[in-house]
Every structure is written in structure tokens, then in C-alpha cells.
Amino acid sequence: MPRFFIDSPCEPGGLVTVAGEDARHIAKSLRMREGEPLDLCDGLGTDYHCEIDSLSPDAVTVRVLSEEPTRTEPHTLVTLIQSLPKADKMDFVMQKAVEMGASRMVPMLSARCISRPDAKAAAKKAERWQKIASEAAKQCGRGILPQVAPVTEFRRAIEDAARHGEVILFYEGGGAPLTELVSEKTERLSILIGPEGGFAPEEVELAKSLGAKTATLGPRILRTETAPIAALAAIMLLTGNLAD
């Protein structure tokens, strides 16, 4: 079923206009016609089952038939704080993090990051990552549009995360098994992933002093683009968010 995000909630029986790129996709790429069904999502966790009332190349009007809570959103809110990797690896990380259920992503500058864009380049990259996240949310049927924060320095990222819930730093130097830190009762969690060279020891100590706990993902050293996917998959399983 084709599915698109809208900017605000709507009411069953009402008409909603889809414009811009989404309208062109419906009319030209999908070649949909009047009377065909499609779904809309308000980005706040509600899906709307609709049918096309009229369409043109730049605007599609749909009639809302019914609504229901989105079934795809995890009940555990996970923020991925990912150290900047080299090249275009972050594109992959952002896409897969959304697919795995992350609610927010924070690109982070840590001590061993090789990629260190200036302010202008960082802003441009964050804009690109938000577009990738939005497209991934559409593709996998998310009920929200996960947000990508601006590129953030290590200490600031930890302090912000600690104010909003539990924080876990994944560290190749050792830590607790994830099964001891996460359960079905976990409601909000931030996870930190290091760059290609890992976290510096002083960063780990700073994170601990600010309330973070260290954890491992097993005996193998995972690549920086693999670790967040493995971590999110494990967290979703342990919190009961991979069940039907």
C-alpha cells in the first residue's frame, strides 16, 4: 500500500491535499488513479486509510476513510548517538537506524573521528541525513519521522542524553552484557557508538562520570557502521519490540 507523511492530523470523512514531490510520485511514478487506496501518516503515530478523490501532476486530493494508531512504532524510544565515520558510511547508518526503530539520531564529533567537517559542511550533511531518514521512514512504514540533530560535540551529546533517560556507551574495552542493562521495562534510552578508532579512554571515563554505562556487543570488534545496527536489533529484541 503506498504510504506518505503529512504535516498535521486529519479527520475521517475529510479531504486532504498531497502536494509537491509526493504528488508527482503518486501521479507520475506510481500512475495511481481516482478511487485507488493509499495511506497517510501524520508523523505523530496515527495512520489514515484513504482513497484518491482527484489528482493532477502537482496535487492529489484524497478522502480520509478511517484512522488507527500506527502499529510499527516501538514503545521504547532509542536515540542513536553516532560518531562521524569516514566517507559516506553515515548515509547507511541513518537509513538502517530508522529501519531498526531509532526515534532520533545525533551525529557526534568524538576525539578519534577522522571526518571533521566545518560548520557549513556539517549543516549540509545533517540536511542530507534528514532526507535519508525521512525516505527510510516512508519505506519501512514508520509512524513518526525520526529527527536528525545537528552535529554535536562529545560532551554536549552526553550531557543532553543524560537529561532525558538512560545512556549506554558501547565500548570494545569491556562493559556489562546488554541483557543486564535493557529490559521490556526500558522506556527511553540513548546509545553511543564510536568512530573507526573507537572511543578514547578519557571519553569513556567522562561518559561514566556523567552517568553513562558501558556495554559490549560480544567478543568481536564490529565496524562503526555495523555496531549501531547490531545494538538496535538487540535492544528491540530485549525490549519486546520485535514481536508482532
Side-chain angles (χ1 to χ4, degrees):
M1 176 74 69
R3 191 169 183 278
F4 301 89
F5 281 95
I6 52 177
D7 294 331
S8 60
C10 51
E11 295 290 336
L15 296 174
V16 177
T17 298
V18 179
E21 184 177 337
D22 284 344
R24 290 188 289 274
H25 185 67
I26 292 168
K28 295 183 177 180
S29 299
L30 297 178
R31 297 183 181 277
M32 298 186 74
R33 297 291 182 263
E34 294 177 5
E36 289 193 88
L38 59 75
D39 286 346
L40 301 179
C41 179
D42 60 10
L44 301 172
T46 300
D47 287 344
Y48 302 91
H49 304 299
C50 311
E51 69 176 17
I52 296 176
D53 187 74
S54 64
L55 74 170
S56 70
D58 297 310
V60 177
T61 301
V62 303
R63 185 175 301 278
V64 181
L65 304 178
S66 62
E67 66 177 52
E68 66 174 346
T70 304
R71 298 178 180 178
T72 56
E73 279 307 302
H75 58 74
T76 304
L77 300 178
V78 182
T79 295
L80 168 63
I81 305 175
Q82 172 74 44
S83 297
L84 295 183
K86 295 185 293 185
D88 59 355
K89 293 178 182 178
M90 188 67 99
D91 293 2
F92 176 84
V93 170
M94 291 294 170
Q95 182 187 69
K96 301 311 173 188
V98 171
E99 292 180 27
M100 290 307 304
S103 59
R104 185 169 177 262
M105 288 77 70
V106 181
M108 179 175 67
L109 273 174
S110 54
R112 294 177 178 171
C113 285
I114 296 172
S115 175
R116 309 192 77 83
D118 60 25
K120 183 177 180 180
K124 188 174 182 180
K125 285 178 179 289
E127 183 179 347
R128 171 180 171 77
W129 295 328
Q130 182 62 68
K131 184 175 182 180
I132 290 170
S134 297
E135 290 299 323
K138 293 177 186 178
Q139 180 274 321
C140 69
R142 293 292 299 270
I144 66 168
L145 279 171
Q147 296 300 300
V148 178
V151 176
T152 307
E153 295 286 345
F154 181 86
R155 186 184 188 100
R156 173 70 180 275
I158 297 281
E159 290 174 340
D160 289 347
R163 284 195 289 268
H164 295 98
E166 300 175 61
V167 181
I168 295 176
L169 182 147
F170 286 97
Y171 185 42
E172 67 274 13
L178 200 54
T179 51
E180 295 181 4
L181 303 178
V182 178
S183 72
E184 291 189 2
K185 296 180 180 180
T186 303
E187 297 180 353
R188 187 182 292 269
L189 179 67
S190 294
I191 60 173
L192 287 91
I193 305 294
E196 286 83 358
F199 288 115
E202 58 269 23
E203 289 179 318
V204 177
E205 293 308 311
L206 174 60
K208 289 180 178 178
S209 73
L210 294 172
K213 299 174 182 177
T214 58
T216 71
L217 286 168
R220 293 165 299 282
I221 303 298
L222 302 182
R223 292 179 181 271
T224 185
E225 69 270 28
T226 307
I229 302 169
L232 286 165
I235 289 167
M236 291 299 156
L237 179 62
L238 291 170
T239 56
N241 282 295
L242 286 185
D244 291 336

